[in-house]
Amino acid sequence: KRNTSLITCCSVSVRTNSGSFSCVSIFVFQCRFTSYSSFPPQNHHASCTLLYKKPFVESFEETPLLVAVLTYIGYGILTIFGYLRDFLRDWKFEKCHLAREREEQKDFVPLYQDFENFYTRNLYMRIRDNWNRPICSIPGAKMDLVERVTPDYNWTFEHTGNVLKDVINMGSYNYLGFAENTGTCADAASECTVKYGVGVSSTRQEIGNLDKHEELEKLVARFLGVESSMAFGMGFATNSMNIPALTGKGCLILSDELNHASLVLGARLSGSTIRVFKHNNMQSLEKLLRDAIVHGQPRTHRPWKKILVLVEGIYSMEGSIVRLPEVIALKKKYKAYLYLDEAHSIGALGPRGRGVVDYFGLDPSDVDIMMGTFTKSFGAAGGYIGGKKELIDYLCLHSHSAVHATSMSPPITQQIITSMKCIMGEDGTTLGQERLCQLSENTTYFRRRLHEMGFIIYGNNDSPVVPLMLYMPAKIGAFGREMLKRNIGTVVVGFPATPIIESRARFCVSAAHTREMLDKALNAISEVGDLLQLKYSRKNRNGSEGTDCFSFLESHQD
């Protein structure tokens, strides 16, 4: 039973029983390097064991001290040189490519804040070539990239006319491989385009409500196991425009600290009071819930009109899965509402591909608002909200995204319907189930191999989102460039999308990846890892974790 919270429990035993000192000291030494999370958390009451039907294992190995120090030094050096280059730009020694105010507008209030853009112009620009690469093919298991060069150190780019063919795509959210231009989905979308056209040019409440939209919403409701559902044309707007319709002034939103920007924006637009709890930390969440019940609203101390808990199924930067059974238990205990964002988990988790609720074998009715997007596993666009019929009827009248936004494009609607029926097995084939199994196998294999190579990777063992830690700023750009040289397309991520010392490469495993593709990608990752010295892990690299101090503690718990 591995969790950093065990340090507190064990330190108490040190004070009461000197005989356990040697065992505990080994445990604390190990926790300097590795943070594990398994069910059931040790500082939860015993009933937590009943909430999980299978082990829940997540790994967040701690940043080695030397790596953290060198990372800070690297950012410090870049900052010093950034100030030097700003000085040279101000005195016209270096050409300035920045957006600046015109001389005739010098008396106006500044439109651009130069200092706020310090990071962008002095650090991001150095490695900007790793992002926004033009793609000229289907972003499936393989893709074609347009080659480009920069004559001015990434301020502008020029296309050479060459195309990089058959680049293995390890960055797209194509979890089930439905991003394809052949097959039943593509054929159905093509036929739908001929019949309905590409756009609707109206809102659902006017003359933009097609029979396809209603067919999709009924299908989504059956897929999720809820009473009703509603589809929206944009996944980001599904969160940002619907949360303000559900909460307002006098309401409290409890948000996980790693929630997506769309959830954060929606919470801010609602006008509700927002409090943030530590990621996947049930003690932090329960404390906020308890305080909210006891103290009520600030100043007046009146009871909150509504308490809404915001969580995600899979956190896209961490690769972790929400502790949904415990969140639901707390939500029921304190009579709060639960908003679950399944953007990355729907279609990618669970034996039937029905998301994190299916993954844990829970009752969908225990989640008040089930949100998700069609942009990942379904290879389309848009989002949905599912729940009780009263909820959907309310949103039909009060959601800005429903009232003012243009309806979902017909071919996109058909793509979602066809792919969802494939996952459900209603297309008369077993293709959907085969893809779910293939995704699970690929995820397990890819994560295990990276562990064995000695990389630090974050997240849950069953998450197809696999963050590989890079840490140092110079290695962000170097990793992306070196991987592309080996014909592997990857996504590298740094500050402000991650903490400043936790830069990473994020791989997204797909059912469309063959074992040959994964092996080629893994060999390239290992080669680049050796070149850039990225194999920081201090864990046992043979894939076994049995002979460590945690197992010693478990065998001597009496």
Side-chain angles (χ1 to χ4, degrees):
K1 315 296 189 293
R2 303 167 185 174
N3 193 298
T4 50
S5 59
L6 270 162
I7 297 177
T8 305
C9 300
C10 291
S11 63
V12 172
S13 67
V14 169
R15 298 187 187 101
T16 58
N17 184 356
S18 60
S20 62
F21 178 80
S22 60
C23 175
V24 174
S25 63
I26 297 174
F27 174 81
V28 175
F29 178 77
Q30 177 71 11
C31 278
R32 286 183 56 200
F33 307 110
T34 308
S35 171
Y36 291 89
S37 175
S38 302
F39 101 91
Q42 291 295 310
N43 52 355
H44 277 202
H45 45 76
S47 62
C48 271
T49 60
L50 302 176
L51 298 177
Y52 293 86
K53 299 179 181 179
K54 61 179 181 179
F56 182 82
V57 182
E58 292 191 340
S59 175
F60 296 93
E61 189 170 347
E62 192 171 328
T63 307
L65 180 60
L66 178 60
V67 175
V69 171
L70 292 176
T71 302
Y72 279 121
I73 291 174
Y75 277 107
I77 293 172
L78 286 172
T79 302
I80 292 171
F81 275 93
Y83 280 115
L84 176 61
R85 298 192 70 176
D86 279 352
F87 174 80
L88 295 175
R89 293 184 188 112
D90 288 340
W91 287 90
K92 312 300 182 184
F93 289 108
E94 180 177 334
K95 184 178 179 181
C96 182
H97 300 276
L98 302 173
R100 287 180 173 264
E101 303 289 348
R102 293 182 297 178
E103 283 297 321
E104 53 266 34
Q105 291 181 316
K106 62 182 179 181
D107 295 329
F108 284 69
V109 175
L111 182 62
Y112 305 108
Q113 299 295 329
D114 282 348
F115 183 77
E116 292 177 2
N117 296 325
F118 178 88
Y119 178 88
T120 300
R121 65 177 177 267
N122 291 310
L123 283 80
Y124 168 73
M125 280 297 173
R126 292 172 175 266
I127 55 176
R128 183 176 168 228
D129 57 301
N130 282 279
W131 294 280
N132 304 39
R133 291 186 178 119
I135 299 173
C136 57
S137 69
I138 290 290
K142 290 186 177 182
M143 58 186 176
D144 298 337
L145 299 182
V146 177
E147 187 180 60
R148 61 182 184 176
V149 295
T150 175
D152 50 11
Y153 301 101
N154 294 337
W155 287 98
T156 60
F157 294 98
E158 298 175 358
H159 296 159
T160 65
N162 297 328
V163 175
L164 304 177
K165 293 285 188 179
D166 295 329
V167 177
I168 297 178
N169 183 4
M170 296 300 300
S172 295
Y173 308 133
N174 183 27
Y175 298 128
L176 293 181
F178 283 115
E180 52 194 359
N181 56 0
T182 58
T184 56
C185 289
D187 294 341
S190 178
E191 293 174 7
C192 185
T193 303
V194 173
K195 180 177 180 181
Y196 292 91
V198 175
V200 182
S201 304
S202 183
T203 66
R204 293 285 297 276
Q205 289 197 351
E206 294 171 338
I207 55 173
N209 188 33
L210 304 179
D211 57 343
K212 284 293 177 184
H213 295 141
E214 297 193 1
E215 179 186 353
L216 171 62
E217 290 171 344
K218 291 178 182 177
L219 182 63
V220 170
R222 282 198 295 115
F223 183 65
L224 299 176
V226 296
E227 291 181 8
S228 185
S229 73
M230 187 172 185
F232 303 89
M234 182 181 178
F236 191 97
T238 305
N239 279 331
S240 60
M241 294 291 100
N242 282 294
I243 294 176
L246 296 171
T247 64
K249 189 176 180 181
C251 297
L252 175 65
I253 291 178
L254 302 181
S255 177
D256 190 292
E257 65 179 345
L258 297 182
N259 275 342
H260 189 262
S262 59
L263 289 169
V264 175
L265 178 60
R268 290 175 178 173
L269 291 176
S270 71
S272 305
T273 300
I274 305 170
R275 290 174 185 164
V276 178
F277 62 92
K278 295 178 182 178
H279 173 58
N280 247 354
N281 189 312
M282 296 303 107
Q283 293 81 16
S284 176
L285 174 58
E286 184 167 17
K287 184 180 184 303
L288 291 178
L289 284 167
R290 190 187 301 115
D291 290 347
I293 298 298
V294 172
H295 300 295
Q297 299 184 41
R299 294 191 299 274
T300 64
H301 299 293
R302 292 176 180 173
W304 295 99
K305 295 179 182 178
K306 194 183 302 178
I307 299 177
L308 181 66
V309 180
L310 299 184
V311 295
E312 293 187 48
I314 293 179
Y315 291 84
S316 58
M317 284 297 170
E318 307 297 318
S320 63
I321 297 175
V322 64
R323 294 180 176 273
L324 191 59
E326 296 173 66
V327 174
I328 289 177
L330 289 177
K331 164 242 176 186
K332 289 181 177 179
K333 180 179 179 181
Y334 293 97
K335 304 297 187 290
Y337 293 98
L338 176 59
Y339 187 109
L340 174 63
D341 179 345
E342 292 218 75
H344 286 268
S345 54
I346 192 69
L349 282 182
R352 300 176 298 169
R354 303 188 183 190
V356 70
V357 176
D358 185 33
Y359 175 78
F360 287 111
L362 303 174
D363 186 350
S365 63
D366 288 336
V367 180
D368 301 288
I369 304 103
M370 299 184 71
M371 177 270 171
T373 64
F374 303 118
T375 57
K376 280 82 175 176
S377 296
F378 303 96
Y384 67 83
I385 283 184
K388 293 186 179 297
K389 188 176 186 303
E390 294 82 359
L391 168 70
I392 303 305
D393 291 343
Y394 175 83
L395 289 177
C396 285
L397 299 176
H398 295 86
S399 168
H400 294 292
S401 188
V403 176
H404 302 295
T406 304
S407 302
M408 182 183 289
S409 173
I412 290 177
T413 306
Q414 185 60 58
Q415 163 78 16
I416 301 166
I417 291 172
T418 309
S419 59
M420 190 172 291
K421 285 184 176 180
C422 181
I423 297 172
M424 298 170 71
E426 294 185 2
D427 62 340
T429 70
T430 60
L431 179 63
Q433 192 60 40
E434 290 171 4
R435 294 195 182 197
L436 290 170
C437 293
Q438 188 64 53
L439 175 62
S440 178
E441 290 177 10
N442 287 351
T443 298
T444 302
Y445 176 74
F446 192 74
R447 280 183 166 273
R448 178 175 58 81
R449 286 287 308 276
L450 288 178
H451 268 303
E452 292 172 354
M453 290 175 186
F455 292 102
I456 293 180
I457 63 172
Y458 278 3
N460 194 286
N461 288 350
D462 295 324
S463 169
V465 179
V466 188
L468 184 151
M469 305 310 294
L470 304 175
Y471 298 115
M472 300 180 194
K475 294 184 180 182
I476 302 173
F479 186 86
R481 295 172 189 136
E482 290 296 328
M483 290 296 290
L484 188 59
K485 287 179 182 177
R486 292 158 178 80
N487 232 36
I488 312 294
T490 60
V491 172
V492 288
V493 191
F495 180 82
T498 67
I500 195 164
I501 67 164
E502 293 187 10
S503 303
R504 64 200 65 177
R506 185 185 63 180
F507 302 101
C508 292
V509 182
S510 171
H513 289 139
T514 63
R515 183 60 61 89
E516 181 184 2
M517 293 180 192
L518 292 180
D519 284 337
K520 181 178 178 180
L522 287 164
N523 291 336
I525 294 169
S526 180
E527 185 179 335
V528 175
D530 291 330
L531 178 66
L532 302 180
Q533 298 183 1
L534 296 173
K535 298 180 179 180
Y536 303 116
S537 180
R538 304 194 182 195
K539 291 170 60 178
N540 190 359
R541 298 188 183 185
N542 62 6
S544 172
E545 301 171 1
T547 58
D548 56 13
C549 62
F550 298 108
S551 301
F552 181 80
L553 279 175
E554 288 178 357
S555 63
H556 291 77
Q557 17 186 332
D558 293 339

